[in-house]
mmCIF file of all heavy atoms in Angstrom:
data_model
loop_
_atom_site.group_PDB
_atom_site.id
_atom_site.type_symbol
_atom_site.label_atom_id
_atom_site.label_comp_id
_atom_site.label_asym_id
_atom_site.label_seq_id
_atom_site.Cartn_x
_atom_site.Cartn_y
_atom_site.Cartn_z
ATOM 1 N N ILE A 15 97.570 116.942 108.521
ATOM 2 C CA ILE A 15 98.067 115.635 108.060
ATOM 3 C C ILE A 15 99.589 115.619 108.028
ATOM 4 O O ILE A 15 100.234 114.666 108.489
ATOM 5 C CB ILE A 15 97.489 115.273 106.690
ATOM 6 C CG1 ILE A 15 95.978 115.071 106.793
ATOM 7 C CG2 ILE A 15 98.150 114.056 106.099
ATOM 8 C CD1 ILE A 15 95.283 114.925 105.481
ATOM 9 N N LEU A 16 100.183 116.684 107.526
ATOM 10 C CA LEU A 16 101.641 116.783 107.463
ATOM 11 C C LEU A 16 102.253 116.799 108.856
ATOM 12 O O LEU A 16 103.257 116.103 109.122
ATOM 13 C CB LEU A 16 102.050 118.047 106.684
ATOM 14 C CG LEU A 16 103.539 118.239 106.464
ATOM 15 C CD1 LEU A 16 104.126 117.092 105.662
ATOM 16 C CD2 LEU A 16 103.793 119.573 105.803
ATOM 17 N N ALA A 17 101.638 117.538 109.762
ATOM 18 C CA ALA A 17 102.155 117.590 111.156
ATOM 19 C C ALA A 17 102.042 116.220 111.831
ATOM 20 O O ALA A 17 102.935 115.818 112.555
ATOM 21 C CB ALA A 17 101.365 118.628 111.949
ATOM 22 N N THR A 18 100.961 115.497 111.543
ATOM 23 C CA THR A 18 100.813 114.166 112.120
ATOM 24 C C THR A 18 101.866 113.208 111.589
ATOM 25 O O THR A 18 102.456 112.417 112.341
ATOM 26 C CB THR A 18 99.389 113.624 111.824
ATOM 27 O OG1 THR A 18 98.435 114.529 112.337
ATOM 28 C CG2 THR A 18 99.199 112.258 112.441
ATOM 29 N N LEU A 19 102.127 113.275 110.291
ATOM 30 C CA LEU A 19 103.155 112.405 109.691
ATOM 31 C C LEU A 19 104.546 112.733 110.252
ATOM 32 O O LEU A 19 105.328 111.826 110.529
ATOM 33 C CB LEU A 19 103.160 112.548 108.183
ATOM 34 C CG LEU A 19 101.954 111.914 107.465
ATOM 35 C CD1 LEU A 19 101.997 112.244 105.995
ATOM 36 C CD2 LEU A 19 101.925 110.417 107.684
ATOM 37 N N ILE A 20 104.834 113.983 110.397
ATOM 38 C CA ILE A 20 106.151 114.388 110.959
ATOM 39 C C ILE A 20 106.272 113.930 112.394
ATOM 40 O O ILE A 20 107.343 113.401 112.808
ATOM 41 C CB ILE A 20 106.346 115.923 110.831
ATOM 42 C CG1 ILE A 20 106.521 116.297 109.364
ATOM 43 C CG2 ILE A 20 107.553 116.378 111.661
ATOM 44 C CD1 ILE A 20 106.526 117.789 109.121
ATOM 45 N N ALA A 21 105.217 114.031 113.176
ATOM 46 C CA ALA A 21 105.245 113.558 114.557
ATOM 47 C C ALA A 21 105.478 112.063 114.629
ATOM 48 O O ALA A 21 106.229 111.578 115.489
ATOM 49 C CB ALA A 21 103.934 113.941 115.273
ATOM 50 N N CYS A 22 104.851 111.327 113.721
ATOM 51 C CA CYS A 22 105.041 109.867 113.673
ATOM 52 C C CYS A 22 106.484 109.504 113.331
ATOM 53 O O CYS A 22 107.055 108.582 113.918
ATOM 54 C CB CYS A 22 104.088 109.232 112.692
ATOM 55 S SG CYS A 22 102.383 109.252 113.228
ATOM 56 N N VAL A 23 107.066 110.211 112.371
ATOM 57 C CA VAL A 23 108.426 109.938 111.960
ATOM 58 C C VAL A 23 109.404 110.261 113.122
ATOM 59 O O VAL A 23 110.331 109.493 113.395
ATOM 60 C CB VAL A 23 108.802 110.748 110.718
ATOM 61 C CG1 VAL A 23 110.286 110.725 110.440
ATOM 62 C CG2 VAL A 23 108.028 110.234 109.509
ATOM 63 N N ILE A 24 109.172 111.348 113.821
ATOM 64 C CA ILE A 24 110.020 111.689 114.967
ATOM 65 C C ILE A 24 109.899 110.617 116.054
ATOM 66 O O ILE A 24 110.906 110.169 116.612
ATOM 67 C CB ILE A 24 109.656 113.086 115.514
ATOM 68 C CG1 ILE A 24 110.089 114.168 114.514
ATOM 69 C CG2 ILE A 24 110.284 113.331 116.887
ATOM 70 C CD1 ILE A 24 109.569 115.541 114.857
ATOM 71 N N HIS A 25 108.684 110.210 116.339
ATOM 72 C CA HIS A 25 108.457 109.221 117.391
ATOM 73 C C HIS A 25 109.137 107.881 117.062
ATOM 74 O O HIS A 25 109.891 107.338 117.864
ATOM 75 C CB HIS A 25 106.946 109.028 117.593
ATOM 76 C CG HIS A 25 106.593 108.003 118.605
ATOM 77 N ND1 HIS A 25 106.419 108.315 119.916
ATOM 78 C CD2 HIS A 25 106.404 106.672 118.493
ATOM 79 C CE1 HIS A 25 106.128 107.215 120.581
ATOM 80 N NE2 HIS A 25 106.113 106.202 119.746
ATOM 81 N N GLU A 26 108.844 107.366 115.876
ATOM 82 C CA GLU A 26 109.420 106.078 115.476
ATOM 83 C C GLU A 26 110.926 106.185 115.278
ATOM 84 O O GLU A 26 111.661 105.241 115.520
ATOM 85 C CB GLU A 26 108.735 105.557 114.228
ATOM 86 C CG GLU A 26 107.249 105.292 114.415
ATOM 87 C CD GLU A 26 106.922 104.333 115.546
ATOM 88 O OE1 GLU A 26 107.730 103.427 115.822
ATOM 89 O OE2 GLU A 26 105.858 104.509 116.134
ATOM 90 N N GLY A 27 111.386 107.350 114.822
ATOM 91 C CA GLY A 27 112.845 107.570 114.682
ATOM 92 C C GLY A 27 113.560 107.491 116.012
ATOM 93 O O GLY A 27 114.680 107.019 116.087
ATOM 94 N N GLY A 28 112.895 107.952 117.071
ATOM 95 C CA GLY A 28 113.460 107.843 118.408
ATOM 96 C C GLY A 28 113.711 106.414 118.821
ATOM 97 O O GLY A 28 114.753 106.063 119.365
ATOM 98 N N HIS A 29 112.706 105.545 118.567
ATOM 99 C CA HIS A 29 112.878 104.127 118.845
ATOM 100 C C HIS A 29 114.011 103.541 118.034
ATOM 101 O O HIS A 29 114.853 102.817 118.550
ATOM 102 C CB HIS A 29 111.579 103.341 118.487
ATOM 103 C CG HIS A 29 110.399 103.664 119.327
ATOM 104 N ND1 HIS A 29 110.381 103.547 120.693
ATOM 105 C CD2 HIS A 29 109.163 104.105 118.978
ATOM 106 C CE1 HIS A 29 109.179 103.877 121.147
ATOM 107 N NE2 HIS A 29 108.436 104.237 120.127
ATOM 108 N N TYR A 30 114.047 103.885 116.750
ATOM 109 C CA TYR A 30 115.045 103.324 115.855
ATOM 110 C C TYR A 30 116.455 103.750 116.265
ATOM 111 O O TYR A 30 117.361 102.923 116.351
ATOM 112 C CB TYR A 30 114.766 103.779 114.422
ATOM 113 C CG TYR A 30 115.763 103.255 113.427
ATOM 114 C CD1 TYR A 30 115.702 101.959 112.973
ATOM 115 C CD2 TYR A 30 116.792 104.069 112.958
ATOM 116 C CE1 TYR A 30 116.641 101.460 112.065
ATOM 117 C CE2 TYR A 30 117.716 103.611 112.073
ATOM 118 C CZ TYR A 30 117.645 102.297 111.617
ATOM 119 O OH TYR A 30 118.569 101.844 110.751
ATOM 120 N N LEU A 31 116.648 105.023 116.559
ATOM 121 C CA LEU A 31 117.970 105.520 116.935
ATOM 122 C C LEU A 31 118.445 104.921 118.253
ATOM 123 O O LEU A 31 119.635 104.625 118.415
ATOM 124 C CB LEU A 31 117.975 107.048 116.975
ATOM 125 C CG LEU A 31 117.846 107.744 115.626
ATOM 126 C CD1 LEU A 31 117.759 109.248 115.793
ATOM 127 C CD2 LEU A 31 118.989 107.386 114.711
ATOM 128 N N ALA A 32 117.536 104.781 119.211
ATOM 129 C CA ALA A 32 117.912 104.183 120.493
ATOM 130 C C ALA A 32 118.336 102.723 120.303
ATOM 131 O O ALA A 32 119.315 102.279 120.906
ATOM 132 C CB ALA A 32 116.775 104.293 121.486
ATOM 133 N N ALA A 33 117.606 102.007 119.469
ATOM 134 C CA ALA A 33 117.966 100.617 119.203
ATOM 135 C C ALA A 33 119.324 100.526 118.527
ATOM 136 O O ALA A 33 120.151 99.661 118.876
ATOM 137 C CB ALA A 33 116.887 99.954 118.370
ATOM 138 N N ARG A 34 119.570 101.391 117.559
ATOM 139 C CA ARG A 34 120.865 101.379 116.847
ATOM 140 C C ARG A 34 122.008 101.759 117.810
ATOM 141 O O ARG A 34 123.117 101.270 117.679
ATOM 142 C CB ARG A 34 120.846 102.335 115.679
ATOM 143 C CG ARG A 34 119.887 101.954 114.573
ATOM 144 C CD ARG A 34 120.164 100.594 114.002
ATOM 145 N NE ARG A 34 121.442 100.608 113.305
ATOM 146 C CZ ARG A 34 122.166 99.535 113.060
ATOM 147 N NH1 ARG A 34 121.748 98.353 113.412
ATOM 148 N NH2 ARG A 34 123.310 99.652 112.441
ATOM 149 N N LEU A 35 121.726 102.637 118.778
ATOM 150 C CA LEU A 35 122.728 103.006 119.778
ATOM 151 C C LEU A 35 123.194 101.789 120.562
ATOM 152 O O LEU A 35 124.371 101.666 120.906
ATOM 153 C CB LEU A 35 122.155 104.056 120.713
ATOM 154 C CG LEU A 35 123.038 104.543 121.842
ATOM 155 C CD1 LEU A 35 124.182 105.392 121.267
ATOM 156 C CD2 LEU A 35 122.256 105.338 122.849
ATOM 157 N N PHE A 36 122.259 100.854 120.814
ATOM 158 C CA PHE A 36 122.620 99.636 121.554
ATOM 159 C C PHE A 36 122.985 98.488 120.615
ATOM 160 O O PHE A 36 123.158 97.354 121.080
ATOM 161 C CB PHE A 36 121.439 99.221 122.426
ATOM 162 C CG PHE A 36 121.134 100.178 123.548
ATOM 163 C CD1 PHE A 36 119.854 100.669 123.695
ATOM 164 C CD2 PHE A 36 122.118 100.586 124.414
ATOM 165 C CE1 PHE A 36 119.572 101.556 124.701
ATOM 166 C CE2 PHE A 36 121.858 101.478 125.430
ATOM 167 C CZ PHE A 36 120.564 101.952 125.590
ATOM 168 N N GLY A 37 123.097 98.748 119.334
ATOM 169 C CA GLY A 37 123.517 97.727 118.408
ATOM 170 C C GLY A 37 122.415 96.757 118.002
ATOM 171 O O GLY A 37 122.697 95.665 117.513
ATOM 172 N N LYS A 38 121.172 97.142 118.203
ATOM 173 C CA LYS A 38 120.029 96.281 117.860
ATOM 174 C C LYS A 38 119.342 96.862 116.631
ATOM 175 O O LYS A 38 119.504 98.010 116.275
ATOM 176 C CB LYS A 38 119.016 96.211 119.014
ATOM 177 C CG LYS A 38 119.572 95.726 120.306
ATOM 178 C CD LYS A 38 119.999 94.311 120.168
ATOM 179 C CE LYS A 38 120.640 93.800 121.458
ATOM 180 N NZ LYS A 38 121.175 92.473 121.318
ATOM 181 N N ARG A 39 118.586 96.010 115.958
ATOM 182 C CA ARG A 39 117.824 96.428 114.789
ATOM 183 C C ARG A 39 116.333 96.187 115.094
ATOM 184 O O ARG A 39 115.973 95.123 115.540
ATOM 185 C CB ARG A 39 118.216 95.645 113.562
ATOM 186 C CG ARG A 39 119.627 95.977 113.126
ATOM 187 C CD ARG A 39 119.865 95.459 111.762
ATOM 188 N NE ARG A 39 119.040 96.170 110.799
ATOM 189 C CZ ARG A 39 119.488 97.067 109.929
ATOM 190 N NH1 ARG A 39 120.773 97.330 109.915
ATOM 191 N NH2 ARG A 39 118.684 97.655 109.089
ATOM 192 N N LEU A 40 115.548 97.185 114.801
ATOM 193 C CA LEU A 40 114.094 97.036 114.915
ATOM 194 C C LEU A 40 113.557 96.641 113.545
ATOM 195 O O LEU A 40 114.011 97.115 112.519
ATOM 196 C CB LEU A 40 113.444 98.344 115.358
ATOM 197 C CG LEU A 40 113.838 98.856 116.730
ATOM 198 C CD1 LEU A 40 113.104 100.174 117.011
ATOM 199 C CD2 LEU A 40 113.497 97.849 117.789
ATOM 200 N N ARG A 41 112.577 95.769 113.547
ATOM 201 C CA ARG A 41 111.937 95.366 112.312
ATOM 202 C C ARG A 41 110.560 96.022 112.248
ATOM 203 O O ARG A 41 109.700 95.744 113.077
ATOM 204 C CB ARG A 41 111.800 93.857 112.251
ATOM 205 C CG ARG A 41 113.150 93.195 112.136
ATOM 206 C CD ARG A 41 113.011 91.741 111.774
ATOM 207 N NE ARG A 41 114.357 91.195 111.654
ATOM 208 C CZ ARG A 41 114.741 90.091 112.216
ATOM 209 N NH1 ARG A 41 113.892 89.378 112.910
ATOM 210 N NH2 ARG A 41 115.976 89.678 112.051
ATOM 211 N N PHE A 42 110.397 96.897 111.279
ATOM 212 C CA PHE A 42 109.106 97.561 111.102
ATOM 213 C C PHE A 42 108.278 96.699 110.141
ATOM 214 O O PHE A 42 108.781 96.164 109.161
ATOM 215 C CB PHE A 42 109.294 98.968 110.520
ATOM 216 C CG PHE A 42 109.860 99.930 111.500
ATOM 217 C CD1 PHE A 42 111.220 100.100 111.635
ATOM 218 C CD2 PHE A 42 109.026 100.667 112.326
ATOM 219 C CE1 PHE A 42 111.761 100.988 112.553
ATOM 220 C CE2 PHE A 42 109.550 101.558 113.260
ATOM 221 C CZ PHE A 42 110.919 101.723 113.349
ATOM 222 N N ARG A 43 106.995 96.597 110.435
ATOM 223 C CA ARG A 43 106.080 95.854 109.565
ATOM 224 C C ARG A 43 104.732 96.515 109.581
ATOM 225 O O ARG A 43 104.394 97.281 110.480
ATOM 226 C CB ARG A 43 105.995 94.389 109.996
ATOM 227 C CG ARG A 43 105.479 94.174 111.379
ATOM 228 C CD ARG A 43 105.508 92.702 111.764
ATOM 229 N NE ARG A 43 105.249 92.564 113.192
ATOM 230 C CZ ARG A 43 104.036 92.481 113.722
ATOM 231 N NH1 ARG A 43 102.974 92.557 112.980
ATOM 232 N NH2 ARG A 43 103.897 92.338 115.022
ATOM 233 N N PHE A 44 103.931 96.191 108.572
ATOM 234 C CA PHE A 44 102.601 96.720 108.451
ATOM 235 C C PHE A 44 101.629 95.756 109.117
ATOM 236 O O PHE A 44 101.769 94.540 108.968
ATOM 237 C CB PHE A 44 102.249 96.873 106.950
ATOM 238 C CG PHE A 44 100.884 97.386 106.702
ATOM 239 C CD1 PHE A 44 100.616 98.731 106.820
ATOM 240 C CD2 PHE A 44 99.861 96.535 106.343
ATOM 241 C CE1 PHE A 44 99.352 99.222 106.585
ATOM 242 C CE2 PHE A 44 98.601 97.004 106.122
ATOM 243 C CZ PHE A 44 98.321 98.351 106.240
ATOM 244 N N ALA A 45 100.661 96.296 109.866
ATOM 245 C CA ALA A 45 99.696 95.430 110.535
ATOM 246 C C ALA A 45 98.352 96.158 110.599
ATOM 247 O O ALA A 45 98.277 97.380 110.503
ATOM 248 C CB ALA A 45 100.163 95.078 111.926
ATOM 249 N N TRP A 46 97.339 95.379 110.746
ATOM 250 C CA TRP A 46 95.980 95.937 110.916
ATOM 251 C C TRP A 46 95.744 96.099 112.410
ATOM 252 O O TRP A 46 95.833 95.148 113.181
ATOM 253 C CB TRP A 46 94.934 95.049 110.292
ATOM 254 C CG TRP A 46 95.048 95.021 108.818
ATOM 255 C CD1 TRP A 46 95.603 94.053 108.045
ATOM 256 C CD2 TRP A 46 94.629 96.061 107.920
ATOM 257 N NE1 TRP A 46 95.570 94.409 106.723
ATOM 258 C CE2 TRP A 46 94.976 95.634 106.608
ATOM 259 C CE3 TRP A 46 94.016 97.268 108.065
ATOM 260 C CZ2 TRP A 46 94.695 96.394 105.486
ATOM 261 C CZ3 TRP A 46 93.749 98.045 106.941
ATOM 262 C CH2 TRP A 46 94.082 97.591 105.671
ATOM 263 N N GLY A 47 95.463 97.313 112.806
ATOM 264 C CA GLY A 47 95.215 97.598 114.225
ATOM 265 C C GLY A 47 93.769 97.393 114.613
ATOM 266 O O GLY A 47 93.015 96.704 113.946
ATOM 267 N N ARG A 48 93.390 98.038 115.675
ATOM 268 C CA ARG A 48 92.027 97.953 116.161
ATOM 269 C C ARG A 48 91.058 98.568 115.170
ATOM 270 O O ARG A 48 91.337 99.581 114.542
ATOM 271 C CB ARG A 48 91.892 98.639 117.498
ATOM 272 C CG ARG A 48 92.620 97.971 118.600
ATOM 273 C CD ARG A 48 92.374 98.653 119.894
ATOM 274 N NE ARG A 48 93.170 97.995 120.929
ATOM 275 C CZ ARG A 48 93.297 98.460 122.131
ATOM 276 N NH1 ARG A 48 92.711 99.590 122.473
ATOM 277 N NH2 ARG A 48 94.042 97.814 123.017
ATOM 278 N N PHE A 49 89.927 97.976 115.061
ATOM 279 C CA PHE A 49 88.844 98.505 114.220
ATOM 280 C C PHE A 49 89.241 98.584 112.754
ATOM 281 O O PHE A 49 88.741 99.431 112.029
ATOM 282 C CB PHE A 49 88.324 99.840 114.731
ATOM 283 C CG PHE A 49 88.007 99.841 116.191
ATOM 284 C CD1 PHE A 49 88.737 100.559 117.091
ATOM 285 C CD2 PHE A 49 86.930 99.082 116.679
ATOM 286 C CE1 PHE A 49 88.455 100.584 118.437
ATOM 287 C CE2 PHE A 49 86.631 99.087 118.038
ATOM 288 C CZ PHE A 49 87.378 99.830 118.918
ATOM 289 N N GLY A 50 90.236 97.777 112.333
ATOM 290 C CA GLY A 50 90.624 97.767 110.927
ATOM 291 C C GLY A 50 91.469 98.934 110.497
ATOM 292 O O GLY A 50 91.614 99.172 109.310
#
């Protein structure tokens, strides 16, 4: 579980840092995915 959470943070952090590099802001939100 800890490894999965760390992998998610690294993955989403990559998106966030790339967007900030270009001067953009990503908006994170909570959503219900497939199968609830």
Side-chain angles (χ1 to χ4, degrees):
I15 294 171
L16 183 62
T18 302
L19 288 174
I20 290 172
C22 289
V23 168
I24 290 170
H25 178 90
E26 298 304 328
H29 293 303
Y30 179 78
L31 291 175
R34 295 301 294 158
L35 178 70
F36 294 127
K38 302 295 178 186
R39 293 194 66 108
L40 297 179
R41 294 192 178 132
F42 288 90
R43 61 185 169 85
F44 179 79
W46 292 101
R48 292 184 183 171
F49 310 112

